[in-house]
Amino acid sequence: MQSSTLIVLVLFSTVWMNTFGMLYVRIIRQTLHEALRISLHEVGHTIACWSCSTVMKMDGTTMKAKHGGGLTQYSYHPNDDIHTLWARLIISLAGIAAETKKFACSASTVRVNTPDMTNAKTFAGQLVAANSHSPDWEVRYDGPLHPFKEVMSLTDAEESVMRLAEASAHDIIMSYGARFDQLVDVLHKKKTIQEDDMEPILGDRRPIIW
């Protein structure tokens, strides 16, 4: 009787430890995945800002990546001309464009109720109202894009503008090649990076599109 009880206890302990161990590993993997996603996302915003030097200023820009969210801060010229609106729209969508570089693109990855998406919809609406449908640059990216209209309330014109802006964000990110991954690695490790950390990696600020 005692032997049977001991065997049951040993089996129960083994099963419990295996289950707990698998759950712990899964949590760790999810945490690391989320931290990487945030780093990718914030570096996407940063590189887009860095590349819009004709209309954006990076003074005091700070990025923070932490479990549950991140932050990229930048300032911009106060005028709402067409170039500024396009730049702000591209910067808003550069985060998910950067995620697409690493992860699969799907409607479920568009987090609708975020400042990025709220701002993007606003800028797209303003561009449509200004009848700015054809920016003066060539968009080369022809890979997957997020189906915004499946998860957001957009007009056809607004969706067209947002898809063009996301494709432009992809062009910017891809133009930096391995430097994008290098900056992601720095942010992933340091959690916070300043402009002084960006310049040695990204080089002199220069416009990619304008």
Side-chain angles (χ1 to χ4, degrees):
M1 184 67 179
Q2 290 180 346
S3 298
S4 300
T5 302
L6 181 60
I7 292 173
V8 170
L9 288 173
V10 170
L11 289 174
F12 176 80
S13 299
T14 302
V15 171
W16 186 87
M17 290 179 65
N18 287 339
T19 302
F20 178 79
M22 291 173 63
L23 180 61
Y24 178 77
V25 170
R26 182 178 301 177
I27 291 173
I28 292 297
R29 286 178 177 174
Q30 289 176 343
T31 301
L32 292 174
H33 181 279
E34 180 66 2
L36 174 60
R37 184 195 67 75
I38 293 170
S39 297
L40 288 164
H41 187 100
E42 298 305 327
V43 168
H45 288 315
T46 298
I47 283 182
C49 289
W50 195 262
S51 304
C52 295
S53 59
T54 58
V55 294
M56 295 292 161
K57 293 184 290 185
M58 297 287 288
D59 299 338
T61 297
T62 301
M63 300 190 311
K64 297 179 180 179
K66 56 185 178 181
H67 182 61
L71 176 66
T72 299
Q73 296 175 316
Y74 64 93
S75 58
Y76 54 88
H77 295 299
N79 59 312
D80 286 331
D81 63 16
I82 296 302
H83 284 298
T84 300
L85 286 173
W86 272 111
R88 296 185 70 189
L89 176 57
I90 291 168
I91 290 168
S92 295
L93 296 177
I96 60 171
E99 291 183 48
T100 306
K101 178 177 166 58
K102 181 71 176 179
F103 305 117
C105 176
S106 68
S108 62
T109 62
V110 179
R111 292 169 294 281
V112 180
N113 297 318
T114 66
D116 287 346
M117 291 298 101
T118 299
N119 291 337
K121 183 177 180 180
T122 298
F123 301 145
Q126 291 174 331
L127 285 166
V128 169
N131 200 31
S132 176
H133 296 234
S134 302
D136 54 356
W137 64 79
E138 179 185 0
V139 179
R140 296 181 175 85
Y141 178 77
D142 61 356
L145 295 171
H146 287 80
F148 295 111
K149 203 170 182 181
E150 292 184 15
V151 292
M152 300 177 69
S153 177
L154 298 172
T155 65
D156 290 341
E158 287 171 342
E159 183 189 34
S160 177
V161 166
M162 287 183 66
R163 289 172 69 83
L164 181 58
E166 188 192 356
S168 300
H170 277 284
D171 279 350
I172 292 173
I173 290 167
M174 293 172 67
S175 73
Y176 281 88
R179 289 177 292 172
F180 169 84
D181 298 314
Q182 188 177 353
L183 193 60
V184 169
D185 186 57
V186 172
L187 177 57
H188 193 59
K189 291 177 179 176
K190 294 184 64 175
K191 308 307 179 188
T192 299
I193 60 176
Q194 303 285 347
E195 189 168 352
D196 290 344
D197 299 305
M198 303 173 199
E199 191 168 4
I201 297 173
L202 300 180
D204 294 335
R205 293 190 60 211
R206 68 191 193 285
I208 298 295
I209 289 178
W210 297 283

PDB file of all heavy atoms in Angstrom, residues 109-128:
ATOM      1  N   THR A 109      -2.390  41.247 -36.706  1.00  0.00           N
ATOM      2  CA  THR A 109      -1.242  41.954 -36.127  1.00  0.00           C
ATOM      3  C   THR A 109      -1.447  43.463 -36.121  1.00  0.00           C
ATOM      4  O   THR A 109      -0.608  44.192 -35.604  1.00  0.00           O
ATOM      5  CB  THR A 109       0.052  41.628 -36.898  1.00  0.00           C
ATOM      6  OG1 THR A 109      -0.082  42.063 -38.259  1.00  0.00           O
ATOM      7  CG2 THR A 109       0.345  40.138 -36.864  1.00  0.00           C
ATOM      8  N   VAL A 110      -2.524  43.943 -36.720  1.00  0.00           N
ATOM      9  CA  VAL A 110      -2.827  45.367 -36.667  1.00  0.00           C
ATOM     10  C   VAL A 110      -3.595  45.644 -35.386  1.00  0.00           C
ATOM     11  O   VAL A 110      -4.752  45.258 -35.239  1.00  0.00           O
ATOM     12  CB  VAL A 110      -3.670  45.816 -37.883  1.00  0.00           C
ATOM     13  CG1 VAL A 110      -3.986  47.306 -37.773  1.00  0.00           C
ATOM     14  CG2 VAL A 110      -2.936  45.536 -39.186  1.00  0.00           C
ATOM     15  N   ARG A 111      -2.922  46.269 -34.422  1.00  0.00           N
ATOM     16  CA  ARG A 111      -3.577  46.614 -33.166  1.00  0.00           C
ATOM     17  C   ARG A 111      -4.294  47.948 -33.374  1.00  0.00           C
ATOM     18  O   ARG A 111      -3.675  49.005 -33.380  1.00  0.00           O
ATOM     19  CB  ARG A 111      -2.537  46.675 -32.042  1.00  0.00           C
ATOM     20  CG  ARG A 111      -1.958  45.293 -31.714  1.00  0.00           C
ATOM     21  CD  ARG A 111      -0.750  45.384 -30.796  1.00  0.00           C
ATOM     22  NE  ARG A 111       0.373  46.033 -31.446  1.00  0.00           N
ATOM     23  CZ  ARG A 111       1.178  45.424 -32.312  1.00  0.00           C
ATOM     24  NH1 ARG A 111       0.968  44.162 -32.645  1.00  0.00           N
ATOM     25  NH2 ARG A 111       2.179  46.065 -32.874  1.00  0.00           N
ATOM     26  N   VAL A 112      -5.605  47.863 -33.563  1.00  0.00           N
ATOM     27  CA  VAL A 112      -6.380  49.013 -34.031  1.00  0.00           C
ATOM     28  C   VAL A 112      -6.400  50.150 -33.025  1.00  0.00           C
ATOM     29  O   VAL A 112      -6.192  51.318 -33.370  1.00  0.00           O
ATOM     30  CB  VAL A 112      -7.823  48.579 -34.373  1.00  0.00           C
ATOM     31  CG1 VAL A 112      -8.624  49.783 -34.861  1.00  0.00           C
ATOM     32  CG2 VAL A 112      -7.809  47.481 -35.429  1.00  0.00           C
ATOM     33  N   ASN A 113      -6.652  49.834 -31.775  1.00  0.00           N
ATOM     34  CA  ASN A 113      -6.830  50.872 -30.751  1.00  0.00           C
ATOM     35  C   ASN A 113      -5.497  51.293 -30.146  1.00  0.00           C
ATOM     36  O   ASN A 113      -5.252  51.156 -28.949  1.00  0.00           O
ATOM     37  CB  ASN A 113      -7.788  50.376 -29.667  1.00  0.00           C
ATOM     38  CG  ASN A 113      -9.165  50.103 -30.215  1.00  0.00           C
ATOM     39  OD1 ASN A 113      -9.685  50.867 -31.017  1.00  0.00           O
ATOM     40  ND2 ASN A 113      -9.764  48.996 -29.791  1.00  0.00           N
ATOM     41  N   THR A 114      -4.619  51.809 -30.992  1.00  0.00           N
ATOM     42  CA  THR A 114      -3.328  52.304 -30.536  1.00  0.00           C
ATOM     43  C   THR A 114      -3.142  53.722 -31.059  1.00  0.00           C
ATOM     44  O   THR A 114      -3.754  54.124 -32.058  1.00  0.00           O
ATOM     45  CB  THR A 114      -2.170  51.428 -31.052  1.00  0.00           C
ATOM     46  OG1 THR A 114      -2.104  51.556 -32.493  1.00  0.00           O
ATOM     47  CG2 THR A 114      -2.373  49.960 -30.674  1.00  0.00           C
ATOM     48  N   PRO A 115      -2.291  54.505 -30.399  1.00  0.00           N
ATOM     49  CA  PRO A 115      -2.020  55.855 -30.910  1.00  0.00           C
ATOM     50  C   PRO A 115      -1.507  55.837 -32.340  1.00  0.00           C
ATOM     51  O   PRO A 115      -1.838  56.734 -33.134  1.00  0.00           O
ATOM     52  CB  PRO A 115      -0.974  56.393 -29.936  1.00  0.00           C
ATOM     53  CG  PRO A 115      -1.239  55.647 -28.655  1.00  0.00           C
ATOM     54  CD  PRO A 115      -1.643  54.271 -29.087  1.00  0.00           C
ATOM     55  N   ASP A 116      -0.679  54.833 -32.690  1.00  0.00           N
ATOM     56  CA  ASP A 116      -0.157  54.749 -34.056  1.00  0.00           C
ATOM     57  C   ASP A 116      -1.282  54.685 -35.074  1.00  0.00           C
ATOM     58  O   ASP A 116      -1.291  55.412 -36.071  1.00  0.00           O
ATOM     59  CB  ASP A 116       0.724  53.501 -34.216  1.00  0.00           C
ATOM     60  CG  ASP A 116       2.068  53.637 -33.533  1.00  0.00           C
ATOM     61  OD1 ASP A 116       2.434  54.772 -33.169  1.00  0.00           O
ATOM     62  OD2 ASP A 116       2.746  52.611 -33.371  1.00  0.00           O
ATOM     63  N   MET A 117      -2.237  53.792 -34.850  1.00  0.00           N
ATOM     64  CA  MET A 117      -3.312  53.603 -35.815  1.00  0.00           C
ATOM     65  C   MET A 117      -4.288  54.779 -35.810  1.00  0.00           C
ATOM     66  O   MET A 117      -4.803  55.183 -36.850  1.00  0.00           O
ATOM     67  CB  MET A 117      -4.056  52.299 -35.533  1.00  0.00           C
ATOM     68  CG  MET A 117      -3.248  51.041 -35.823  1.00  0.00           C
ATOM     69  SD  MET A 117      -2.768  50.895 -37.568  1.00  0.00           S
ATOM     70  CE  MET A 117      -1.058  51.429 -37.494  1.00  0.00           C
ATOM     71  N   THR A 118      -4.533  55.336 -34.623  1.00  0.00           N
ATOM     72  CA  THR A 118      -5.402  56.513 -34.538  1.00  0.00           C
ATOM     73  C   THR A 118      -4.791  57.674 -35.311  1.00  0.00           C
ATOM     74  O   THR A 118      -5.479  58.355 -36.098  1.00  0.00           O
ATOM     75  CB  THR A 118      -5.622  56.916 -33.064  1.00  0.00           C
ATOM     76  OG1 THR A 118      -6.253  55.838 -32.372  1.00  0.00           O
ATOM     77  CG2 THR A 118      -6.506  58.153 -32.972  1.00  0.00           C
ATOM     78  N   ASN A 119      -3.489  57.898 -35.104  1.00  0.00           N
ATOM     79  CA  ASN A 119      -2.802  58.968 -35.819  1.00  0.00           C
ATOM     80  C   ASN A 119      -2.763  58.696 -37.314  1.00  0.00           C
ATOM     81  O   ASN A 119      -2.980  59.608 -38.128  1.00  0.00           O
ATOM     82  CB  ASN A 119      -1.379  59.128 -35.282  1.00  0.00           C
ATOM     83  CG  ASN A 119      -1.343  59.677 -33.874  1.00  0.00           C
ATOM     84  OD1 ASN A 119      -2.282  60.330 -33.426  1.00  0.00           O
ATOM     85  ND2 ASN A 119      -0.263  59.406 -33.152  1.00  0.00           N
ATOM     86  N   ALA A 120      -2.483  57.443 -37.674  1.00  0.00           N
ATOM     87  CA  ALA A 120      -2.389  57.101 -39.094  1.00  0.00           C
ATOM     88  C   ALA A 120      -3.702  57.377 -39.814  1.00  0.00           C
ATOM     89  O   ALA A 120      -3.719  57.934 -40.917  1.00  0.00           O
ATOM     90  CB  ALA A 120      -1.993  55.630 -39.249  1.00  0.00           C
ATOM     91  N   LYS A 121      -4.803  57.004 -39.195  1.00  0.00           N
ATOM     92  CA  LYS A 121      -6.104  57.242 -39.815  1.00  0.00           C
ATOM     93  C   LYS A 121      -6.366  58.741 -39.960  1.00  0.00           C
ATOM     94  O   LYS A 121      -6.891  59.196 -40.989  1.00  0.00           O
ATOM     95  CB  LYS A 121      -7.209  56.590 -38.995  1.00  0.00           C
ATOM     96  CG  LYS A 121      -8.582  56.746 -39.632  1.00  0.00           C
ATOM     97  CD  LYS A 121      -9.667  56.033 -38.846  1.00  0.00           C
ATOM     98  CE  LYS A 121     -11.030  56.224 -39.523  1.00  0.00           C
ATOM     99  NZ  LYS A 121     -12.116  55.539 -38.778  1.00  0.00           N
ATOM    100  N   THR A 122      -5.984  59.513 -38.944  1.00  0.00           N
ATOM    101  CA  THR A 122      -6.159  60.967 -39.003  1.00  0.00           C
ATOM    102  C   THR A 122      -5.346  61.573 -40.141  1.00  0.00           C
ATOM    103  O   THR A 122      -5.854  62.372 -40.943  1.00  0.00           O
ATOM    104  CB  THR A 122      -5.747  61.619 -37.669  1.00  0.00           C
ATOM    105  OG1 THR A 122      -6.587  61.126 -36.624  1.00  0.00           O
ATOM    106  CG2 THR A 122      -5.878  63.135 -37.744  1.00  0.00           C
ATOM    107  N   PHE A 123      -4.063  61.193 -40.220  1.00  0.00           N
ATOM    108  CA  PHE A 123      -3.193  61.740 -41.270  1.00  0.00           C
ATOM    109  C   PHE A 123      -3.680  61.319 -42.657  1.00  0.00           C
ATOM    110  O   PHE A 123      -3.661  62.115 -43.599  1.00  0.00           O
ATOM    111  CB  PHE A 123      -1.749  61.292 -41.061  1.00  0.00           C
ATOM    112  CG  PHE A 123      -1.161  61.711 -39.738  1.00  0.00           C
ATOM    113  CD1 PHE A 123      -0.269  60.890 -39.062  1.00  0.00           C
ATOM    114  CD2 PHE A 123      -1.500  62.925 -39.163  1.00  0.00           C
ATOM    115  CE1 PHE A 123       0.276  61.275 -37.844  1.00  0.00           C
ATOM    116  CE2 PHE A 123      -0.959  63.325 -37.945  1.00  0.00           C
ATOM    117  CZ  PHE A 123      -0.071  62.491 -37.283  1.00  0.00           C
ATOM    118  N   ALA A 124      -4.109  60.061 -42.782  1.00  0.00           N
ATOM    119  CA  ALA A 124      -4.612  59.582 -44.076  1.00  0.00           C
ATOM    120  C   ALA A 124      -5.844  60.378 -44.494  1.00  0.00           C
ATOM    121  O   ALA A 124      -5.984  60.768 -45.661  1.00  0.00           O
ATOM    122  CB  ALA A 124      -4.945  58.096 -43.997  1.00  0.00           C
ATOM    123  N   GLY A 125      -6.737  60.633 -43.534  1.00  0.00           N
ATOM    124  CA  GLY A 125      -7.931  61.419 -43.833  1.00  0.00           C
ATOM    125  C   GLY A 125      -7.586  62.827 -44.275  1.00  0.00           C
ATOM    126  O   GLY A 125      -8.199  63.371 -45.207  1.00  0.00           O
ATOM    127  N   GLN A 126      -6.581  63.425 -43.622  1.00  0.00           N
ATOM    128  CA  GLN A 126      -6.170  64.784 -43.986  1.00  0.00           C
ATOM    129  C   GLN A 126      -5.543  64.816 -45.373  1.00  0.00           C
ATOM    130  O   GLN A 126      -5.748  65.769 -46.144  1.00  0.00           O
ATOM    131  CB  GLN A 126      -5.192  65.330 -42.942  1.00  0.00           C
ATOM    132  CG  GLN A 126      -5.839  65.596 -41.590  1.00  0.00           C
ATOM    133  CD  GLN A 126      -4.833  65.997 -40.524  1.00  0.00           C
ATOM    134  OE1 GLN A 126      -3.672  65.598 -40.575  1.00  0.00           O
ATOM    135  NE2 GLN A 126      -5.263  66.781 -39.550  1.00  0.00           N
ATOM    136  N   LEU A 127      -4.785  63.791 -45.714  1.00  0.00           N
ATOM    137  CA  LEU A 127      -4.165  63.726 -47.033  1.00  0.00           C
ATOM    138  C   LEU A 127      -5.220  63.530 -48.123  1.00  0.00           C
ATOM    139  O   LEU A 127      -5.134  64.126 -49.197  1.00  0.00           O
ATOM    140  CB  LEU A 127      -3.133  62.600 -47.069  1.00  0.00           C
ATOM    141  CG  LEU A 127      -1.826  62.896 -46.332  1.00  0.00           C
ATOM    142  CD1 LEU A 127      -1.014  61.620 -46.118  1.00  0.00           C
ATOM    143  CD2 LEU A 127      -0.997  63.918 -47.108  1.00  0.00           C
ATOM    144  N   VAL A 128      -6.206  62.702 -47.828  1.00  0.00           N
ATOM    145  CA  VAL A 128      -7.285  62.500 -48.794  1.00  0.00           C
ATOM    146  C   VAL A 128      -8.055  63.805 -48.990  1.00  0.00           C
ATOM    147  O   VAL A 128      -8.384  64.197 -50.116  1.00  0.00           O
ATOM    148  CB  VAL A 128      -8.238  61.372 -48.328  1.00  0.00           C
ATOM    149  CG1 VAL A 128      -9.500  61.333 -49.186  1.00  0.00           C
ATOM    150  CG2 VAL A 128      -7.525  60.018 -48.384  1.00  0.00           C
TER     151      VAL A 128
END
